[in-house]
Amino acid sequence: MHAMLKVVLGVALLMAAPWASAQVYKCKGASGETVYSQDPCGKGAEPVKLRSNRAATETAGEAANRSAVYRTTELSDAGIAERNCLQSEQSRIYGPLDARSQAVSRQVADLNRQLVATSGSLAGATADAGIRAQISSLQQSLSAERTAADGQMSAARDRCAAARRDREKEVHDKYSQPTSAAR
């Protein structure tokens, strides 16, 4: 099994070698098996001449395909960046509002319990009016905060969309140049 691992690693080194700048050596292991290494592994180590399967020059069609892939990828990245921007802004804007909304809901529930406790007497009617005013005030305040948050989110959508449009224009301009100038 150990020898098999060495052979697999050697083959992997050979496959990666066209992209690496290191030399690969072919050696004999202790049991006589063939071993590949980046370093000479003994007196009998032989440098291996690596061949690349890739053509030395790129055809116009290959260049156009590569350019189209890069362009599509960069345009897709612009869309992903916009979605990330929107998610971030939504969390930043609505996160505190959601927490505030939960707190207001708890306050309103407490005030409603107080309403139940004070009902049934003249003094209770006066207290009821004050409690109802507090509930109304809390609800109006929360409504105003939500409206403000909606306005902030609308502006954030515009900013995120503008950033995407700018990035898409850059990509379009970059890949509208002759193929030899692109990447």
Side-chain angles (χ1 to χ4, degrees):
M1 183 71 168
H2 185 65
M4 179 63 119
L5 180 60
K6 286 182 179 180
V7 171
V8 169
L9 287 173
V11 171
L13 278 172
L14 282 175
M15 291 175 67
W19 297 282
S21 62
Q23 176 66 50
V24 175
Y25 295 89
K26 179 178 177 183
C27 310
K28 291 289 183 192
S31 304
E33 76 277 8
T34 300
V35 177
Y36 296 94
S37 172
Q38 286 182 303
D39 301 311
C41 36
K43 290 183 182 181
E46 302 171 24
V48 177
K49 181 172 175 146
L50 302 174
R51 290 179 283 148
S52 173
N53 292 335
R54 189 157 198 251
T57 60
E58 186 175 56
T59 67
E62 291 170 333
N65 284 341
R66 180 179 42 79
S67 180
V69 167
Y70 288 155
R71 181 176 195 248
T72 301
T73 300
E74 288 185 40
L75 290 172
S76 179
D77 288 348
I80 291 168
E82 180 184 26
R83 282 192 299 278
N84 290 342
C85 176
L86 288 170
Q87 288 174 344
S88 174
E89 289 297 302
Q90 188 169 10
S91 294
R92 182 184 67 79
I93 293 167
Y94 288 116
L97 181 62
D98 290 343
R100 170 91 169 109
S101 180
Q102 290 174 1
V104 166
S105 292
R106 286 189 297 273
Q107 287 177 307
V108 168
D110 287 344
L111 291 169
N112 280 326
R113 281 191 287 280
Q114 290 177 21
L115 275 175
V116 170
T118 60
S119 64
S121 68
L122 184 57
T126 303
D128 283 357
I131 292 171
R132 289 183 199 283
Q134 284 180 323
I135 291 172
S136 177
S137 175
L138 285 169
Q139 291 170 334
Q140 287 174 356
S141 173
L142 190 58
S143 178
E145 289 175 38
R146 181 153 309 273
T147 300
D150 290 344
Q152 290 175 357
M153 193 63 206
S154 178
R157 278 187 198 93
D158 291 344
R159 282 191 309 275
C160 294
R164 178 182 184 165
R165 283 190 303 275
D166 290 348
R167 181 64 186 131
E168 287 173 343
K169 183 180 180 327
E170 288 173 12
V171 170
H172 176 72
D173 292 347
K174 178 179 178 180
Y175 291 100
S176 293
Q177 299 169 3
T179 305
S180 61
R183 280 211 170 206

